[in-house]
């Protein structure tokens, strides 16, 4: 979708990785960074400003100081935004875009407590309501820092948290899912991704971007996206056999790859995973549940709690709670 936007071009590096640029005659080129949603939002802003300049509009190209659109732009440029994990930014981006598009022209002072409640009341999902509330608080923190408001009306909202996931995959569930991968669209890549999650206790996103260069035949090197920690994970013998076989048939540097060797995109992976899960009748389970399952398997293999926490990235306390509930006695 991004490469079909006006004045956006895709260029390939020597290693085949895509980079996106906004290039319009009469304007300085800009590289589009961040997630796809962030790049789309930036390209739209650049096109709007360029269109306004071409029309000879006298209005300001930048959002007016003190407006909601200005606060959104200030937050996107802040260190706090840059420090967020890519997955968190991707989660927050739709709410930022919606605020900017629908209410960007309004002053931040219009977002009082009642207005914040009205926005949240229109969101049915508990989880999405919490995410939107977090975005509103951060946007209004910008206004607070500039002394435009004397308190943040999105603070201490008392929102009900969505219940924490507690499911794990049984051996029967695992066999059923892997059996349905055979012959399914992108089934081979999804099966390998599944095995990586199950045997390394890493997040789905970290497993999806693993490359063959990080595998030495015994261990996998992972830089965890959320924590930025570098860990070496010993592969169990069952995973070693799977990886060695997959590497023989690989035609690129990516482990979880499309037939052409390119990394399997997140959207493609999600669609393929969901389709296979539905075919297997396992809709009550999610990919992220495999991380919890892997922790239990590590405990069964005799790993200590600190060892498991060092691999998975969980706190020791959280790891202990998982083992206490699920580890068979």
């Amino acid at each position: 979708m991004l490469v079909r936007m006006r004045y956006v071009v895709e260029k390939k590096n020597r290693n085949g990785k895509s980079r996106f640029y906004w290039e319009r005659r009469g304007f300085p080129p800009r590289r589009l960074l961040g997630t796809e949603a962030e790049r789309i939002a930036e390209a739209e802003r650049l096109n709007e400003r360029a269109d306004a300049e071409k029309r000879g509009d006298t209005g300001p190209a930048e959002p007016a100081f003190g407006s909601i659109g200005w606060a959104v732009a200030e937050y996107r440029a802040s260190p706090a935004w840059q420090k967020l994990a890519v997955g968190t930014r991707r989660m927050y981006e739709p709410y930022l875009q919606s605020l900017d598009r629908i209410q960007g022209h309004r002053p931040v002072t219009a977002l009082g407590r009642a207005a914040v409640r009205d926005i949240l009341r229109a969101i049915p999902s508990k989880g999405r309501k919490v995410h939107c509330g977090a975005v509103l608080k951060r946007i209004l923190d910008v206004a607070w820092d500039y002394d435009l408001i004397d308190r943040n009306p999105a603070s201490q909202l008392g929102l009900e948290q969505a219940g924490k996931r507690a499911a794990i995959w049984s051996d029967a569930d695992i066999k059923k899912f892997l059996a349905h991968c055979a012959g399914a669209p992108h089934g081979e890549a999804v099966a390998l991704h599944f095995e990586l999650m199950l045997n390394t206790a890493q997040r789905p996103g970290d497993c999806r971007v693993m490359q063959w260069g990080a595998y030495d035949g015994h261990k996998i090197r992972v830089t965890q996206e959320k924590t930025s920690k570098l860990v070496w994970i010993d592969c169990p013998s069952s995973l070693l056999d799977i990886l060695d076989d997959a590497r023989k048939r690989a035609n690129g540097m990516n482990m979880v790859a499309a037939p052409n060797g390119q990394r399997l995109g997140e959207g493609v992976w999600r669609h393929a995973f969901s389709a296979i899960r539905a075919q297997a009748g396992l809709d009550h389970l999610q990919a992220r549940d495999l991380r919890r399952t892997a922790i239990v398997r590590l405990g069964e293999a005799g790993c200590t709690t600190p060892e498991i926490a060092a691999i998975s990235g969980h706190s020791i306390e959280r790891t202990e709670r998982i083992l206490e509930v699920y580890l068979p006695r």
Side-chain angles (χ1 to χ4, degrees), residues 2-257:
L2 185 65
V3 296
R4 294 199 295 269
M5 289 190 66
R6 290 187 303 151
Y7 308 111
V8 174
V9 296
E10 179 182 9
K11 298 181 181 180
K12 297 283 188 179
N13 291 344
R14 291 182 179 179
N15 62 5
K17 186 177 180 179
S18 293
R19 290 189 178 186
F20 296 92
Y21 295 85
W22 183 80
E23 296 182 352
R24 184 167 178 173
R25 182 176 296 177
F27 297 89
R30 289 279 295 272
R31 184 181 171 192
L32 304 175
L33 301 172
T35 65
E36 183 175 14
E38 290 171 329
R39 297 194 300 265
I40 290 173
E42 178 63 13
E44 288 176 344
R45 285 193 291 273
L46 290 169
N47 278 327
E48 287 174 3
R49 293 170 188 170
D51 289 343
E53 186 173 329
K54 289 286 188 182
R55 291 193 303 266
D57 290 351
T58 58
E62 298 291 336
F65 175 80
S67 67
I68 294 173
W70 163 83
V72 169
E74 284 289 308
Y75 177 56
R76 277 203 183 98
S78 70
W81 172 259
Q82 299 302 323
K83 288 179 181 178
L84 292 177
V86 173
T88 305
R89 296 205 304 267
R90 187 182 301 118
M91 189 187 305
Y92 286 175
E93 185 62 36
Y95 303 109
L96 291 172
Q97 290 187 39
S98 179
L99 277 171
D100 197 10
R101 184 177 64 255
I102 299 172
Q103 305 197 52
H105 64 285
R106 303 179 67 199
V108 288
T109 52
L111 279 178
R113 189 75 167 185
V116 168
R117 289 289 189 190
D118 287 342
I119 292 172
L120 297 176
R121 196 174 292 116
I123 302 175
S125 166
K126 292 179 183 178
R128 292 179 180 176
K129 201 185 295 284
V130 169
H131 296 154
C132 183
V135 169
L136 288 167
K137 181 182 183 302
R138 285 159 173 77
I139 294 305
L140 289 166
D141 274 342
V142 174
W144 191 20
D145 287 341
Y146 279 82
D147 291 328
L148 297 175
I149 54 177
D150 57 8
R151 63 182 297 274
N152 190 325
S155 295
Q156 299 178 340
L157 292 168
L159 297 175
E160 183 180 356
Q161 299 284 331
K164 290 187 176 181
R165 295 283 303 172
I168 62 172
W169 291 68
S170 68
D171 290 343
D173 296 332
I174 293 167
K175 290 179 181 178
K176 188 182 295 185
F177 182 90
L178 292 174
H180 280 80
C181 286
H186 298 293
E188 186 174 343
V190 171
L192 180 57
H193 184 251
F194 186 96
E195 293 283 7
L196 287 168
M197 288 188 288
L198 182 62
N199 288 282
T200 67
Q202 301 305 298
R203 296 175 179 84
D206 289 333
C207 291
R208 192 177 56 81
V209 300
M210 287 180 179
Q211 296 187 336
W212 291 113
Y215 172 58
D216 66 1
H218 302 281
K219 299 179 180 180
I220 295 178
R221 183 183 71 250
V222 180
T223 300
Q224 296 173 334
E225 178 186 271
K226 186 170 184 177
T227 64
S228 298
K229 291 181 179 178
L230 175 65
V231 295
W232 281 93
I233 302 171
D234 285 301
C235 300
S237 57
S238 58
L239 180 59
L240 290 177
D241 293 340
I242 293 170
L243 290 176
D244 291 341
D245 181 61
R247 183 159 59 176
K248 293 175 184 176
R249 294 178 282 105
N251 63 345
M253 65 179 69
N254 300 300
M255 287 187 177
V256 183

